[in-house]
Amino acid sequence: MKSPRFKRLVLFFFLPLFLYFSIYTWNWKTGHLNYLSTLVGLDLAGWILTPGRWIQHNTNSFWARYIYLVGVRQENEELLLQVHELEFEVLRVAEKAKAADRLASMLRFTPETTWDRRGCRVIGQKLGPNAVLETMLIDVGTLDGVRHHDPVISTKGVVGQILKPGLKFSNVLLLTDVTSRIPVITSTGRIPAIAHGQGSGSFLEIKFIPRNDEIVPGEILLTSGQGGIFPKGIPVARVVEVTPADVSLFQKVYAEPLLNLRYYEELLILSRRETIDPLATNGTILDNPEGNDNASAKDIKPPTPNP
Amino acid sequence: MASIWCQELTGGLDFLSPGLLICLQMSQWGTVLWMTTLWVFIQEGIGNFEFGVIILFYTGMYLAFFLSRWLLEPGNFLFIFLFSLILAIWNWIIVLGAVSFQELHVLLPSPWKQIPLQWLAYVVHWSISLALFRRSVKYGHL
């Protein structure tokens, strides 16, 4: 015969504990509750934050367009000059790209996956005590075709990847997060390495660069396309510090991201196409998904603002 | 809505729990039940842990609330002040435990900074919300 104290202990302590761990383990295996909480939490928070962000965006835009016009004329002239230089550069690079396409088709390279791109807005950053990773909330989700691990970039380079896609909002894991690792290659030496995040405000650690390979500060690191997440050739970071190895097989290399991740309002999401376009070149990002106008990773334009 | 905005603007402090505590103080059990369910899904959804961490946090919070009620009157400021400190420490312990249990290699802010900030957030948010709630009841809005 069990004492009432024992029964009470079982009823109020062991039974809830057993139930809790059962639910926890079941969810760990199936992920159903994670999915449900993502749909509820992310989307609810997104809908709450969106109107405020819309007001903020329009106020900033109104201020910048109609009130704060200091130096606009000078900036306009500088930008026009820059546009002429870039037009010339685009022509030169386009010719090279065409030549590369011809060579690739002559050598019968297998065409790689093509990518569609979609603009989105950042509407939130770190939301709540459980948001321990470096993440951002953006205003597109699975209803817009966004999937887990889709690459997120800006006009300057890699931002991160989709961590949790909700229905209309998604969480983006930034490349500076300590859990983020991106396969990269150096722009000149083509040395493969891994860019490892070290937390907000810190440089990225570039791992596995052999001690005899030459890498210099200022060199740009590009995505290598080997991880299966990012297309090849998108800028990731710039090398800032190289320490030659003394006993290790690898050098100690640090790089800074090409963009300040916390101050971006609009981003681009790349989505892998299910079917391979035989006409497309390797790792192509399509400017116009419906048409045949292919654009290289360097030709990425800022997203058109949503109405 | 204001709590979600506060969580966003403060970069990771918890502003949802004081709402539950006010309902507990007022013994509105039905509201406590549906709000807890909703809050669990919101906090888990916007967080980065596997589902279940917030359930543990709220269970500890409710247990601490019922135990503290024997010592102090839940309506007064001293209770809010002391209970907020317990809650801020509990919050930190839960996050630390979850990070270690789920083997997430992340950089957590220093407890000497995070706990006082969370404590302040709880005290301010709880006091203001409670005052507004009492005012609404007084003028017949609730």
Side-chain angles (χ1 to χ4, degrees), chain A residues 14-58:
Chain A
F14 287 112
L15 196 66
L17 202 67
F18 174 75
L19 272 175
Y20 176 77
F21 278 111
S22 303
I23 292 171
Y24 190 87
T25 318
W26 171 72
N27 175 61
W28 188 289
K29 281 188 171 178
T30 61
H32 291 323
L33 288 172
N34 279 353
Y35 180 66
L36 186 66
S37 64
T38 302
L39 294 189
V40 176
L42 268 191
D43 283 81
L44 205 64
W47 286 118
I48 289 169
L49 294 176
T50 301
R53 289 290 176 214
W54 184 83
I55 292 168
Q56 183 195 8
H57 175 78
N58 282 297

Side-chain angles (χ1 to χ4, degrees), chain A residues 209-229:
Chain A
I209 295 210
R211 57 187 302 165
N212 296 329
D213 285 345
E214 196 180 332
I215 179 166
V216 288
E219 195 161 352
I220 300 290
L221 301 167
L222 310 166
T223 50
S224 68
Q226 285 182 350
I229 290 177

Side-chain angles (χ1 to χ4, degrees), chain A residues 20 24 27 33-34 36-37 41-42 44-45 48-49 52-53 124-133 164 178 198, chain B residues 1 5 7-8 11-12 14 41-52 54 95 101-102 105-108:
Chain A
Y20 176 77
Y24 190 87
N27 175 61
L33 288 172
N34 279 353
L36 186 66
S37 64
L42 268 191
L44 205 64
I48 289 169
L49 294 176
R53 289 290 176 214
Q125 308 269 348
K126 230 176 174 184
L127 279 167
N130 282 11
V132 291
L133 304 177
K164 275 164 101 175
V178 288
Q198 300 290 305
Chain B
M1 278 171 75
W5 267 103
Q7 293 204 161
E8 154 70 5
D14 173 26
F41 278 103
I42 290 177
Q43 292 284 39
E44 296 283 3
I46 57 182
N48 304 124
F49 294 126
E50 291 291 325
F51 190 89
I54 287 292
V95 171
F101 186 67
Q102 297 184 12
H105 302 284
V106 295
L107 301 169
L108 289 177

Side-chain angles (χ1 to χ4, degrees), chain A residues 118-245:
Chain A
R118 177 183 296 103
C120 64
R121 274 189 210 292
V122 177
I123 54 164
Q125 308 269 348
K126 230 176 174 184
L127 279 167
N130 282 11
V132 291
L133 304 177
E134 295 285 321
T135 53
M136 275 179 177
L137 186 65
I138 54 169
D139 66 351
V140 287
T142 45
L143 290 179
D144 306 291
V146 171
R147 285 168 296 187
H148 193 219
H149 289 315
D150 274 354
V152 181
I153 62 171
S154 83
T155 48
K156 287 188 177 171
V158 170
V159 172
Q161 57 179 287
I162 298 288
L163 179 70
K164 275 164 101 175
L167 278 180
K168 199 74 189 89
F169 300 91
S170 304
N171 239 342
V172 178
L173 180 74
L174 303 183
L175 82 143
T176 49
D177 187 78
V178 288
T179 59
S180 162
R181 285 161 184 79
I182 299 174
V184 291
I185 44 169
T186 57
S187 54
T188 49
R190 316 305 282 182
I191 309 163
I194 301 286
H196 181 198
Q198 300 290 305
S200 177
S202 302
F203 291 143
L204 306 175
E205 189 181 357
I206 310 302
K207 290 185 162 179
F208 311 121
I209 295 210
R211 57 187 302 165
N212 296 329
D213 285 345
E214 196 180 332
I215 179 166
V216 288
E219 195 161 352
I220 300 290
L221 301 167
L222 310 166
T223 50
S224 68
Q226 285 182 350
I229 290 177
F230 291 92
K232 192 175 180 176
I234 301 178
V236 177
R238 183 185 291 107
V239 176
V240 288
E241 191 185 320
V242 180
T243 312

Side-chain angles (χ1 to χ4, degrees), chain B residues 9-139:
Chain B
L9 295 174
T10 53
L13 297 179
D14 173 26
F15 278 86
L16 291 178
S17 306
L20 294 174
L21 292 165
I22 290 170
C23 294
L24 281 176
Q25 283 176 311
M26 301 298 160
S27 304
Q28 296 190 343
W29 308 115
T31 316
V32 167
L33 193 70
W34 73 257
M35 266 175 77
T36 307
T37 314
L38 186 63
W39 271 206
V40 163
F41 278 103
I42 290 177
Q43 292 284 39
E44 296 283 3
I46 57 182
N48 304 124
F49 294 126
E50 291 291 325
F51 190 89
V53 176
I54 287 292
I55 295 177
L56 208 60
F57 174 68
Y58 284 157
T59 309
M61 182 177 90
Y62 291 151
L63 282 176
F65 182 85
F66 289 117
L67 288 174
S68 315
R69 222 165 52 158
W70 292 341
L71 297 170
L72 285 165
E73 173 60 37
N76 69 26
F77 184 74
L78 187 65
F79 178 84
I80 293 173
F81 192 73
L82 293 177
F83 193 79
S84 294
L85 176 63
I86 296 169
L87 209 56
I89 296 169
W90 176 234
N91 194 324
W92 173 255
I93 291 170
I94 283 287
V95 171
L96 198 68
V99 163
S100 140
F101 186 67
Q102 297 184 12
E103 294 179 353
L104 283 171
H105 302 284
V106 295
L107 301 169
L108 289 177
S110 157
W112 307 115
K113 182 187 160 198
Q114 186 73 8
I115 291 174
L117 275 176
Q118 185 62 73
W119 183 18
L120 185 72
Y122 280 144
V123 171
V124 171
H125 191 224
W126 193 352
S127 310
I128 292 172
S129 304
L130 188 64
L132 288 173
F133 185 85
R134 281 178 174 157
R135 198 180 155 86
S136 302
V137 172
K138 190 178 168 187
Y139 288 103

